[in-house]
Every structure is written in structure tokens, then in C-alpha cells.
Amino acid sequence: METELKKYQQLVDKIPLLKKEIAKVIVGQEEVLDQVIITLLAGGHCLLEGVPGLAKTLMVQTISKVMELSFKRIQFTPDLMPGDILGTEVLEEDHSTGKKFFQFTQGPIFANMVLADEINRTPPKTQAALLEAMQEKMVTYGGKNYKLPDPFLIIATQNPIEQSGTYPLPEAQLDRFLLYIKLGYPSEQEELEVLKKTTGTYRGVPEKILTGEEVKQLQELTREVHLDSALLSYITRLIRSTRLENTTVPEVKNYVEWGAGTRAGQALVLCAKARAIVKGRYSVIPEDIEHLIFPVLRHRISLHFRAEAEQLDTDFVISKILAQTPVHAK
């Protein structure tokens, strides 16, 4: 038992080293990096929203390098077909017998980390091709199942500015993403550092810190993190407060059309446990829940037209729910 604990502690101790290596290439964005790592440890997928030019691709590529994970990038376009993502059958010939047969050729989805760039630029048919892969971690083609690599993480990006010619993700697919992460502009000091590093001779080369097998062990450890029954009750009350039939929060009654489902609670529990691991703890504290409730819920709450008219977003409603829901039930 002591040997097992020591092994896990060694893995947890590698997380700060991991972030240090990523920082050789990526300046700032610590909260975003934490949330991407949390998504991986919790075994989910994330949606990353940010304007062009914020190094989203470089960030994901760097994370895959320091974790020794295979990486593929898919540029989503209006003419992209499901086969371009999943793979397709190619007619082959056995040169010894002359017989012809179909051989499945794997698509770019067959990687540990997949960057689905500008996912809202492709039609629903192609977006839907990701659903089985995201949920079941396998691809079905021609009646056969093909298992995807483990660990497996899809990071989808979308541009919040230009909406013409895009296909907004349906609610069912949005709900498959564990976190909806918003990537903002860097601070002045961070931007200055980026300009220094990227326009001179500096070449940051991150070292490999974790293997795929070690990531899987951290995923198992994440589920074993302690969550007090009082905090589990707190999460339940937060999720139920998003629903019109259960809430006592005025802003929910005024602005929410429909609230979050049970999957949101599962996501918040797993992400809070993963954040505890990232912070070097084996027990969840209220701060973990309060930090992650925004990326967990912002894509799982639908607002009424009144909120849009008043230029209010889901983060505003979530902040009100958080402020009016005590950690301990009265």
C-alpha cells in the first residue's frame, strides 16, 4: 500500500514539472492550461473558444509533446466529410493470390490528442461523426468497431467573432464536452514576453515528462480523490439551481430557458477531483468547485431572449447561482 502511494505521489509531483515545460513555449494562460490538463485527467473533451492568433494549436501540440501523446490536427471546413475524420475503406490487392479486398484506413481521429480546429465551420453531418468517437471512444465503419487510442482527448476550437457561414453546435453535442474554456487576450507583460520569445533566436524545446501510461494512471487516481458528502450535496444544489422548477435564484427565473442536466453534476465532480490532483491534493475543497462551475455550466444552460436583449451571458447567471448557494445547506 505504501509503495502504491509513493508511486502515485511521484506522478502527482510531475504535474508542476509538466507545466514548467509547457511554459518554455506557451507564455501565461495558466488557468486555460490547468483546465485542459483537468479535462484530460477527468477523461473528457473540451471546447476552446478564442479569437485567432492566441496560439491555441501550439498550446495543444505542446501539451501532447510533454505527455508523449500522439497529436493530430483537423481543420474543419464546409466541405469536410465524416470519412475525412474517421477514415475510409480502400480497395487493396493481395499480390500472392491476386484477390482484392477492402482495407480500413484510419483517419486523423486515431490519435491521443485531436485538435478539431474551428468545429463550427463544418456541417452537422460531419460534426455528428465526432459524437460516437467522443462518447464511446471507438469508430464504427462497415459494421466493424475500431478502438481509439487510450488516453483520448478531443479539443475543439471555435472563433467567437465571425459567425457568418458557421454551423452552431447542437445542444446534444455541446453537452458531450466536459468543459467550455474561454481563451482571452494575454496581459501586457505576457504579450511583451511573447513578442520577445517568438521574434528572436529563442527556441523553447519542452522535454517529455509523462507517458501515456502514466496519464492513464493519473486518470484512475482522479476518480479516487476524496469528495466530502457535504460538497457532493453542494454540487447537487448548484446544478439543481439552474433549473426553473427547482431554483430560488431570481436571475435563473428571469433569464434561463432550460437548465443543466445530471451530466453537468458528473462533470463538476470529476473536474473538481482532477483540479485537486493538479493542485497536489487528494481531497476536493470548495475552491475547486467554484473555479470550475463556469466552464462546466456555461454551455449547458440555455438563456431566454430577454438575457440576449440585456446583453447578459451564462457566466452572469452562474455567478448569481454561486453567490446565492451556500456551501453548507441550511
Side-chain angles (χ1 to χ4, degrees), residues 81-140:
M81 298 296 289
D84 297 326
I85 300 171
L86 306 178
T88 187
E89 286 185 330
V90 178
L91 189 62
E92 300 276 0
E93 184 178 343
D94 188 331
H95 295 293
S96 59
T97 62
K99 288 184 178 180
K100 294 183 178 180
F101 60 95
F102 283 102
Q103 179 74 38
F104 179 71
T105 303
Q106 294 181 352
I109 195 76
F110 287 86
N112 295 117
M113 295 189 79
V114 179
L115 180 65
D117 218 356
E118 295 191 291
I119 192 173
N120 56 335
R121 295 210 172 277
T122 204
K125 181 180 180 180
T126 308
Q127 290 174 355
L130 287 177
L131 275 174
E132 184 191 18
M134 291 170 67
Q135 190 66 22
E136 306 300 332
K137 299 188 178 179
M138 67 171 63
V139 167
T140 302

Short mmCIF file of all heavy atoms in Angstrom, two decimals, residues 81-140:
data_model
loop_
_atom_site.label_atom_id
_atom_site.label_comp_id
_atom_site.label_asym_id
_atom_site.label_seq_id
_atom_site.Cartn_x
_atom_site.Cartn_y
_atom_site.Cartn_z
N MET A 81 -15.99 15.89 -44.98
CA MET A 81 -16.92 14.76 -44.86
C MET A 81 -16.53 13.88 -43.67
O MET A 81 -15.37 13.88 -43.24
CB MET A 81 -16.88 13.92 -46.16
CG MET A 81 -17.32 14.69 -47.39
SD MET A 81 -19.06 15.19 -47.28
CE MET A 81 -19.88 13.62 -47.48
N PRO A 82 -17.50 13.09 -43.13
CA PRO A 82 -17.18 12.22 -41.99
C PRO A 82 -15.98 11.30 -42.23
O PRO A 82 -15.17 11.07 -41.34
CB PRO A 82 -18.48 11.41 -41.80
CG PRO A 82 -19.55 12.32 -42.29
CD PRO A 82 -18.94 13.07 -43.44
N GLY A 83 -15.87 10.79 -43.46
CA GLY A 83 -14.75 9.90 -43.80
C GLY A 83 -13.40 10.58 -43.70
O GLY A 83 -12.38 9.92 -43.47
N ASP A 84 -13.39 11.91 -43.88
CA ASP A 84 -12.13 12.65 -43.77
C ASP A 84 -11.62 12.67 -42.33
O ASP A 84 -10.44 12.94 -42.08
CB ASP A 84 -12.33 14.10 -44.26
CG ASP A 84 -12.71 14.17 -45.72
OD1 ASP A 84 -12.24 13.33 -46.49
OD2 ASP A 84 -13.49 15.08 -46.08
N ILE A 85 -12.53 12.44 -41.37
CA ILE A 85 -12.17 12.44 -39.95
C ILE A 85 -11.94 11.01 -39.44
O ILE A 85 -10.93 10.71 -38.82
CB ILE A 85 -13.29 13.09 -39.11
CG1 ILE A 85 -13.51 14.53 -39.54
CG2 ILE A 85 -12.99 13.00 -37.62
CD1 ILE A 85 -14.74 15.15 -38.92
N LEU A 86 -12.92 10.14 -39.75
CA LEU A 86 -12.91 8.79 -39.18
C LEU A 86 -12.00 7.83 -39.93
O LEU A 86 -11.39 6.95 -39.34
CB LEU A 86 -14.33 8.22 -39.15
CG LEU A 86 -15.40 9.08 -38.46
CD1 LEU A 86 -16.75 8.40 -38.56
CD2 LEU A 86 -15.04 9.33 -37.01
N GLY A 87 -11.93 8.00 -41.24
CA GLY A 87 -11.18 7.08 -42.08
C GLY A 87 -12.11 6.47 -43.12
O GLY A 87 -13.32 6.71 -43.12
N THR A 88 -11.56 5.67 -44.02
CA THR A 88 -12.36 5.09 -45.08
C THR A 88 -11.76 3.77 -45.53
O THR A 88 -10.61 3.45 -45.20
CB THR A 88 -12.46 6.07 -46.28
OG1 THR A 88 -13.38 5.56 -47.24
CG2 THR A 88 -11.10 6.27 -46.94
N GLU A 89 -12.54 3.00 -46.28
CA GLU A 89 -12.04 1.72 -46.80
C GLU A 89 -11.41 1.92 -48.17
O GLU A 89 -11.97 2.61 -49.03
CB GLU A 89 -13.17 0.69 -46.88
CG GLU A 89 -13.59 0.15 -45.53
CD GLU A 89 -14.63 -0.95 -45.61
OE1 GLU A 89 -15.43 -0.95 -46.56
OE2 GLU A 89 -14.63 -1.80 -44.71
N VAL A 90 -10.27 1.30 -48.36
CA VAL A 90 -9.54 1.39 -49.62
C VAL A 90 -9.43 -0.01 -50.22
O VAL A 90 -9.16 -0.97 -49.50
CB VAL A 90 -8.14 1.99 -49.40
CG1 VAL A 90 -7.35 2.04 -50.71
CG2 VAL A 90 -8.24 3.38 -48.79
N LEU A 91 -9.64 -0.12 -51.53
CA LEU A 91 -9.55 -1.41 -52.20
C LEU A 91 -8.08 -1.81 -52.36
O LEU A 91 -7.30 -1.09 -52.99
CB LEU A 91 -10.23 -1.34 -53.57
CG LEU A 91 -10.41 -2.68 -54.31
CD1 LEU A 91 -11.30 -3.64 -53.51
CD2 LEU A 91 -11.00 -2.45 -55.70
N GLU A 92 -7.70 -2.94 -51.76
CA GLU A 92 -6.33 -3.43 -51.83
C GLU A 92 -6.29 -4.76 -52.58
O GLU A 92 -7.32 -5.42 -52.77
CB GLU A 92 -5.78 -3.64 -50.40
CG GLU A 92 -5.76 -2.39 -49.55
CD GLU A 92 -4.53 -1.55 -49.80
OE1 GLU A 92 -3.70 -1.93 -50.64
OE2 GLU A 92 -4.41 -0.49 -49.14
N GLU A 93 -5.10 -5.14 -52.99
CA GLU A 93 -4.93 -6.42 -53.69
C GLU A 93 -3.84 -7.25 -53.02
O GLU A 93 -2.76 -6.74 -52.70
CB GLU A 93 -4.54 -6.18 -55.15
CG GLU A 93 -4.45 -7.46 -55.96
CD GLU A 93 -4.10 -7.22 -57.43
OE1 GLU A 93 -4.24 -6.07 -57.90
OE2 GLU A 93 -3.69 -8.18 -58.10
N ASP A 94 -4.16 -8.51 -52.77
CA ASP A 94 -3.18 -9.45 -52.22
C ASP A 94 -2.33 -9.95 -53.39
O ASP A 94 -2.80 -10.69 -54.25
CB ASP A 94 -3.90 -10.62 -51.54
CG ASP A 94 -2.94 -11.53 -50.79
OD1 ASP A 94 -1.77 -11.61 -51.20
OD2 ASP A 94 -3.37 -12.16 -49.80
N HIS A 95 -1.07 -9.54 -53.42
CA HIS A 95 -0.21 -9.85 -54.58
C HIS A 95 0.11 -11.34 -54.70
O HIS A 95 0.41 -11.82 -55.80
CB HIS A 95 1.10 -9.05 -54.47
CG HIS A 95 0.88 -7.57 -54.57
ND1 HIS A 95 0.45 -6.95 -55.72
CD2 HIS A 95 1.02 -6.58 -53.64
CE1 HIS A 95 0.34 -5.65 -55.52
NE2 HIS A 95 0.67 -5.39 -54.25
N SER A 96 0.01 -12.09 -53.61
CA SER A 96 0.29 -13.53 -53.69
C SER A 96 -0.85 -14.32 -54.29
O SER A 96 -0.64 -15.33 -54.97
CB SER A 96 0.61 -14.08 -52.30
OG SER A 96 -0.48 -13.87 -51.43
N THR A 97 -2.10 -13.86 -54.06
CA THR A 97 -3.27 -14.60 -54.57
C THR A 97 -4.01 -13.84 -55.67
O THR A 97 -4.80 -14.42 -56.41
CB THR A 97 -4.26 -14.89 -53.43
OG1 THR A 97 -4.73 -13.64 -52.89
CG2 THR A 97 -3.59 -15.69 -52.32
N GLY A 98 -3.78 -12.54 -55.74
CA GLY A 98 -4.48 -11.72 -56.73
C GLY A 98 -5.88 -11.31 -56.29
O GLY A 98 -6.59 -10.62 -57.01
N LYS A 99 -6.28 -11.74 -55.09
CA LYS A 99 -7.61 -11.38 -54.59
C LYS A 99 -7.64 -9.94 -54.09
O LYS A 99 -6.66 -9.45 -53.53
CB LYS A 99 -8.02 -12.32 -53.45
CG LYS A 99 -8.35 -13.73 -53.91
CD LYS A 99 -8.85 -14.58 -52.75
CE LYS A 99 -9.23 -15.97 -53.23
NZ LYS A 99 -9.72 -16.82 -52.11
N LYS A 100 -8.78 -9.30 -54.32
CA LYS A 100 -8.95 -7.91 -53.88
C LYS A 100 -9.82 -7.87 -52.62
O LYS A 100 -10.72 -8.69 -52.45
CB LYS A 100 -9.58 -7.07 -54.99
CG LYS A 100 -8.66 -6.93 -56.20
CD LYS A 100 -9.26 -6.04 -57.27
CE LYS A 100 -8.29 -5.89 -58.45
NZ LYS A 100 -8.84 -5.03 -59.51
N PHE A 101 -9.53 -6.92 -51.77
CA PHE A 101 -10.27 -6.80 -50.51
C PHE A 101 -10.23 -5.34 -50.05
O PHE A 101 -9.38 -4.56 -50.49
CB PHE A 101 -9.66 -7.70 -49.43
CG PHE A 101 -8.22 -7.38 -49.11
CD1 PHE A 101 -7.89 -6.53 -48.06
CD2 PHE A 101 -7.19 -7.91 -49.88
CE1 PHE A 101 -6.57 -6.23 -47.78
CE2 PHE A 101 -5.86 -7.61 -49.61
CZ PHE A 101 -5.55 -6.77 -48.55
N PHE A 102 -11.19 -5.01 -49.19
CA PHE A 102 -11.25 -3.65 -48.65
C PHE A 102 -10.47 -3.58 -47.34
O PHE A 102 -10.63 -4.43 -46.45
CB PHE A 102 -12.69 -3.22 -48.42
CG PHE A 102 -13.41 -2.82 -49.68
CD1 PHE A 102 -14.31 -3.69 -50.29
CD2 PHE A 102 -13.16 -1.59 -50.26
CE1 PHE A 102 -14.95 -3.33 -51.47
CE2 PHE A 102 -13.81 -1.21 -51.44
CZ PHE A 102 -14.70 -2.10 -52.04
N GLN A 103 -9.60 -2.57 -47.23
CA GLN A 103 -8.80 -2.35 -46.03
C GLN A 103 -9.17 -1.00 -45.43
O GLN A 103 -9.18 0.01 -46.13
CB GLN A 103 -7.31 -2.37 -46.40
CG GLN A 103 -6.37 -2.12 -45.24
CD GLN A 103 -6.26 -3.31 -44.30
OE1 GLN A 103 -6.27 -4.46 -44.74
NE2 GLN A 103 -6.20 -3.04 -43.02
N PHE A 104 -9.50 -1.01 -44.13
CA PHE A 104 -9.86 0.26 -43.48
C PHE A 104 -8.61 1.08 -43.21
O PHE A 104 -7.65 0.60 -42.61
CB PHE A 104 -10.60 0.00 -42.16
CG PHE A 104 -10.98 1.26 -41.42
CD1 PHE A 104 -12.00 2.09 -41.90
CD2 PHE A 104 -10.33 1.63 -40.26
CE1 PHE A 104 -12.35 3.25 -41.23
CE2 PHE A 104 -10.68 2.79 -39.57
CZ PHE A 104 -11.69 3.60 -40.06
N THR A 105 -8.60 2.32 -43.69
CA THR A 105 -7.50 3.25 -43.44
C THR A 105 -7.94 4.25 -42.40
O THR A 105 -8.92 4.97 -42.58
CB THR A 105 -7.11 3.99 -44.75
OG1 THR A 105 -6.78 3.03 -45.75
CG2 THR A 105 -5.92 4.91 -44.51
N GLN A 106 -7.23 4.29 -41.30
CA GLN A 106 -7.60 5.16 -40.18
C GLN A 106 -7.47 6.63 -40.53
O GLN A 106 -6.52 7.04 -41.19
CB GLN A 106 -6.73 4.84 -38.96
CG GLN A 106 -6.94 3.46 -38.40
CD GLN A 106 -6.08 3.19 -37.19
OE1 GLN A 106 -5.20 3.97 -36.84
NE2 GLN A 106 -6.32 2.08 -36.52
N GLY A 107 -8.45 7.42 -40.06
CA GLY A 107 -8.42 8.87 -40.25
C GLY A 107 -7.67 9.56 -39.12
O GLY A 107 -7.17 8.90 -38.19
N PRO A 108 -7.62 10.87 -39.15
CA PRO A 108 -6.86 11.62 -38.14
C PRO A 108 -7.45 11.55 -36.73
O PRO A 108 -6.80 11.98 -35.78
CB PRO A 108 -6.88 13.05 -38.67
CG PRO A 108 -8.04 13.11 -39.60
CD PRO A 108 -8.16 11.75 -40.19
N ILE A 109 -8.66 11.00 -36.58
CA ILE A 109 -9.26 10.86 -35.26
C ILE A 109 -8.48 9.86 -34.41
O ILE A 109 -8.55 9.86 -33.18
CB ILE A 109 -10.76 10.43 -35.36
CG1 ILE A 109 -11.51 10.62 -34.05
CG2 ILE A 109 -10.88 8.99 -35.81
CD1 ILE A 109 -11.87 12.02 -33.75
N PHE A 110 -7.68 9.00 -35.07
CA PHE A 110 -6.92 7.97 -34.36
C PHE A 110 -5.61 8.53 -33.81
O PHE A 110 -4.52 8.27 -34.33
CB PHE A 110 -6.67 6.76 -35.28
CG PHE A 110 -7.90 5.93 -35.51
CD1 PHE A 110 -8.79 6.26 -36.52
CD2 PHE A 110 -8.19 4.84 -34.71
CE1 PHE A 110 -9.94 5.50 -36.75
CE2 PHE A 110 -9.33 4.07 -34.93
CZ PHE A 110 -10.21 4.40 -35.94
N ALA A 111 -5.74 9.35 -32.78
CA ALA A 111 -4.59 9.93 -32.08
C ALA A 111 -4.99 10.16 -30.64
O ALA A 111 -6.18 10.21 -30.32
CB ALA A 111 -4.16 11.23 -32.74
N ASN A 112 -4.00 10.28 -29.74
CA ASN A 112 -4.32 10.52 -28.33
C ASN A 112 -4.95 11.89 -28.12
O ASN A 112 -5.90 12.05 -27.35
CB ASN A 112 -3.05 10.43 -27.47
CG ASN A 112 -2.46 9.05 -27.45
OD1 ASN A 112 -1.33 8.84 -27.89
ND2 ASN A 112 -3.18 8.07 -26.94
N MET A 113 -4.40 12.92 -28.80
CA MET A 113 -4.94 14.28 -28.69
C MET A 113 -5.30 14.76 -30.09
O MET A 113 -4.46 14.76 -31.00
CB MET A 113 -3.93 15.23 -28.06
CG MET A 113 -3.61 14.90 -26.61
SD MET A 113 -2.61 16.18 -25.80
CE MET A 113 -3.87 17.39 -25.43
N VAL A 114 -6.56 15.12 -30.26
CA VAL A 114 -7.04 15.58 -31.57
C VAL A 114 -7.53 17.02 -31.44
O VAL A 114 -8.40 17.31 -30.61
CB VAL A 114 -8.18 14.68 -32.09
CG1 VAL A 114 -8.69 15.20 -33.43
CG2 VAL A 114 -7.71 13.23 -32.21
N LEU A 115 -6.96 17.90 -32.24
CA LEU A 115 -7.40 19.29 -32.26
C LEU A 115 -8.39 19.46 -33.40
O LEU A 115 -8.03 19.37 -34.58
CB LEU A 115 -6.22 20.24 -32.46
CG LEU A 115 -6.56 21.73 -32.51
CD1 LEU A 115 -7.13 22.21 -31.19
CD2 LEU A 115 -5.35 22.57 -32.89
N ALA A 116 -9.67 19.64 -33.06
CA ALA A 116 -10.72 19.87 -34.06
C ALA A 116 -10.86 21.37 -34.24
O ALA A 116 -11.61 22.03 -33.52
CB ALA A 116 -12.03 19.24 -33.58
N ASP A 117 -10.10 21.91 -35.18
CA ASP A 117 -9.99 23.36 -35.34
C ASP A 117 -11.20 23.95 -36.07
O ASP A 117 -11.56 23.50 -37.15
CB ASP A 117 -8.71 23.69 -36.11
CG ASP A 117 -8.03 24.95 -35.59
OD1 ASP A 117 -8.60 25.60 -34.70
OD2 ASP A 117 -6.94 25.27 -36.07
N GLU A 118 -11.81 24.96 -35.44
CA GLU A 118 -12.98 25.65 -35.97
C GLU A 118 -14.10 24.66 -36.31
O GLU A 118 -14.59 24.59 -37.43
CB GLU A 118 -12.60 26.50 -37.19
CG GLU A 118 -11.65 27.64 -36.84
CD GLU A 118 -11.47 28.64 -37.97
OE1 GLU A 118 -10.87 28.26 -38.98
OE2 GLU A 118 -11.94 29.78 -37.83
N ILE A 119 -14.51 23.93 -35.29
CA ILE A 119 -15.51 22.87 -35.46
C ILE A 119 -16.85 23.41 -35.95
O ILE A 119 -17.63 22.69 -36.58
CB ILE A 119 -15.68 22.09 -34.13
CG1 ILE A 119 -16.50 20.82 -34.35
CG2 ILE A 119 -16.27 22.97 -33.03
CD1 ILE A 119 -16.57 19.91 -33.14
N ASN A 120 -17.14 24.68 -35.67
CA ASN A 120 -18.42 25.25 -36.09
C ASN A 120 -18.44 25.67 -37.56
O ASN A 120 -19.40 26.25 -38.03
CB ASN A 120 -18.82 26.43 -35.19
CG ASN A 120 -17.77 27.53 -35.15
OD1 ASN A 120 -16.58 27.28 -35.38
ND2 ASN A 120 -18.19 28.74 -34.86
N ARG A 121 -17.37 25.37 -38.31
CA ARG A 121 -17.34 25.70 -39.74
C ARG A 121 -17.73 24.52 -40.62
O ARG A 121 -17.74 24.63 -41.85
CB ARG A 121 -15.95 26.19 -40.15
CG ARG A 121 -15.56 27.48 -39.50
CD ARG A 121 -14.63 28.33 -40.34
NE ARG A 121 -14.47 29.64 -39.72
CZ ARG A 121 -15.31 30.64 -39.87
NH1 ARG A 121 -16.40 30.49 -40.61
NH2 ARG A 121 -15.10 31.80 -39.27
N THR A 122 -18.04 23.39 -40.00
CA THR A 122 -18.39 22.21 -40.79
C THR A 122 -19.86 21.84 -40.55
O THR A 122 -20.40 22.09 -39.47
CB THR A 122 -17.45 21.03 -40.44
OG1 THR A 122 -17.41 20.11 -41.52
CG2 THR A 122 -17.88 20.32 -39.17
N PRO A 123 -20.54 21.24 -41.54
CA PRO A 123 -21.98 20.93 -41.40
C PRO A 123 -22.26 19.90 -40.31
O PRO A 123 -21.37 19.15 -39.90
CB PRO A 123 -22.35 20.37 -42.78
CG PRO A 123 -21.29 20.86 -43.71
CD PRO A 123 -20.05 20.96 -42.90
N PRO A 124 -23.53 19.86 -39.83
CA PRO A 124 -23.92 18.95 -38.74
C PRO A 124 -23.58 17.48 -39.01
O PRO A 124 -23.26 16.75 -38.07
CB PRO A 124 -25.44 19.15 -38.64
CG PRO A 124 -25.66 20.54 -39.15
CD PRO A 124 -24.63 20.76 -40.22
N LYS A 125 -23.65 17.04 -40.25
CA LYS A 125 -23.36 15.63 -40.58
C LYS A 125 -21.94 15.26 -40.15
O LYS A 125 -21.70 14.19 -39.60
CB LYS A 125 -23.54 15.40 -42.08
CG LYS A 125 -23.30 13.96 -42.52
CD LYS A 125 -23.50 13.82 -44.02
CE LYS A 125 -23.26 12.38 -44.47
NZ LYS A 125 -23.45 12.22 -45.93
N THR A 126 -21.01 16.17 -40.41
CA THR A 126 -19.61 15.90 -40.06
C THR A 126 -19.38 16.11 -38.56
O THR A 126 -18.62 15.37 -37.94
CB THR A 126 -18.67 16.81 -40.88
OG1 THR A 126 -19.01 16.67 -42.27
CG2 THR A 126 -17.23 16.44 -40.68
N GLN A 127 -20.05 17.12 -37.99
CA GLN A 127 -19.95 17.33 -36.54
C GLN A 127 -20.43 16.07 -35.80
O GLN A 127 -19.82 15.65 -34.82
CB GLN A 127 -20.79 18.53 -36.11
CG GLN A 127 -20.24 19.87 -36.58
CD GLN A 127 -21.19 21.01 -36.24
OE1 GLN A 127 -22.29 20.80 -35.75
NE2 GLN A 127 -20.77 22.23 -36.51
N ALA A 128 -21.52 15.47 -36.31
CA ALA A 128 -22.11 14.30 -35.65
C ALA A 128 -21.18 13.10 -35.70
O ALA A 128 -21.28 12.20 -34.86
CB ALA A 128 -23.45 13.96 -36.30
N ALA A 129 -20.27 13.08 -36.68
CA ALA A 129 -19.33 11.96 -36.79
C ALA A 129 -18.42 11.87 -35.57
O ALA A 129 -17.87 10.81 -35.26
CB ALA A 129 -18.50 12.11 -38.06
N LEU A 130 -18.27 12.99 -34.87
CA LEU A 130 -17.43 13.01 -33.67
C LEU A 130 -18.13 12.42 -32.46
O LEU A 130 -17.49 12.03 -31.49
CB LEU A 130 -17.02 14.45 -33.33
CG LEU A 130 -15.98 15.13 -34.22
CD1 LEU A 130 -15.77 16.55 -33.75
CD2 LEU A 130 -14.66 14.38 -34.20
N LEU A 131 -19.48 12.39 -32.48
CA LEU A 131 -20.24 12.02 -31.28
C LEU A 131 -19.87 10.65 -30.72
O LEU A 131 -19.59 10.50 -29.54
CB LEU A 131 -21.74 12.07 -31.55
CG LEU A 131 -22.40 13.44 -31.40
CD1 LEU A 131 -23.85 13.39 -31.84
CD2 LEU A 131 -22.32 13.91 -29.95
N GLU A 132 -19.89 9.63 -31.59
CA GLU A 132 -19.57 8.28 -31.11
C GLU A 132 -18.12 8.22 -30.63
O GLU A 132 -17.83 7.63 -29.60
CB GLU A 132 -19.78 7.24 -32.22
CG GLU A 132 -19.54 5.82 -31.71
CD GLU A 132 -19.47 4.78 -32.83
OE1 GLU A 132 -19.26 5.15 -34.00
OE2 GLU A 132 -19.60 3.59 -32.51
N ALA A 133 -17.24 8.86 -31.39
CA ALA A 133 -15.83 8.86 -31.01
C ALA A 133 -15.63 9.49 -29.64
O ALA A 133 -14.87 8.98 -28.80
CB ALA A 133 -15.00 9.61 -32.06
N MET A 134 -16.33 10.61 -29.38
CA MET A 134 -16.19 11.31 -28.10
C MET A 134 -16.76 10.51 -26.95
O MET A 134 -16.16 10.45 -25.87
CB MET A 134 -16.88 12.68 -28.18
CG MET A 134 -16.18 13.67 -29.09
SD MET A 134 -17.15 15.16 -29.38
CE MET A 134 -17.16 15.89 -27.75
N GLN A 135 -17.90 9.88 -27.16
CA GLN A 135 -18.58 9.20 -26.06
C GLN A 135 -18.10 7.76 -25.87
O GLN A 135 -17.81 7.33 -24.77
CB GLN A 135 -20.10 9.20 -26.31
CG GLN A 135 -20.91 8.73 -25.13
CD GLN A 135 -20.82 9.65 -23.92
OE1 GLN A 135 -20.50 10.83 -24.06
NE2 GLN A 135 -21.05 9.12 -22.74
N GLU A 136 -18.02 7.02 -26.99
CA GLU A 136 -17.70 5.59 -26.90
C GLU A 136 -16.22 5.29 -27.06
O GLU A 136 -15.76 4.18 -26.80
CB GLU A 136 -18.49 4.82 -27.98
CG GLU A 136 -19.98 5.04 -27.98
CD GLU A 136 -20.64 4.64 -26.67
OE1 GLU A 136 -20.12 3.74 -25.99
OE2 GLU A 136 -21.67 5.24 -26.32
N LYS A 137 -15.45 6.31 -27.53
CA LYS A 137 -14.01 6.15 -27.77
C LYS A 137 -13.73 5.00 -28.74
O LYS A 137 -12.80 4.21 -28.57
CB LYS A 137 -13.26 5.96 -26.44
CG LYS A 137 -13.43 7.18 -25.54
CD LYS A 137 -12.58 7.15 -24.32
CE LYS A 137 -12.78 8.43 -23.51
NZ LYS A 137 -12.00 8.47 -22.28
N MET A 138 -14.59 4.93 -29.76
CA MET A 138 -14.40 3.97 -30.85
C MET A 138 -15.06 4.50 -32.12
O MET A 138 -15.89 5.42 -32.07
CB MET A 138 -14.95 2.59 -30.50
CG MET A 138 -16.46 2.53 -30.37
SD MET A 138 -17.06 0.82 -30.21
CE MET A 138 -16.30 0.32 -28.69
N VAL A 139 -14.68 3.94 -33.24
CA VAL A 139 -15.24 4.31 -34.53
C VAL A 139 -15.87 3.07 -35.14
O VAL A 139 -15.26 1.99 -35.13
CB VAL A 139 -14.14 4.87 -35.48
CG1 VAL A 139 -14.64 4.96 -36.91
CG2 VAL A 139 -13.67 6.23 -34.99
N THR A 140 -17.10 3.19 -35.65
CA THR A 140 -17.76 2.08 -36.34
C THR A 140 -17.78 2.37 -37.83
O THR A 140 -18.26 3.43 -38.25
CB THR A 140 -19.20 1.89 -35.82
OG1 THR A 140 -19.17 1.67 -34.41
CG2 THR A 140 -19.86 0.70 -36.50
#
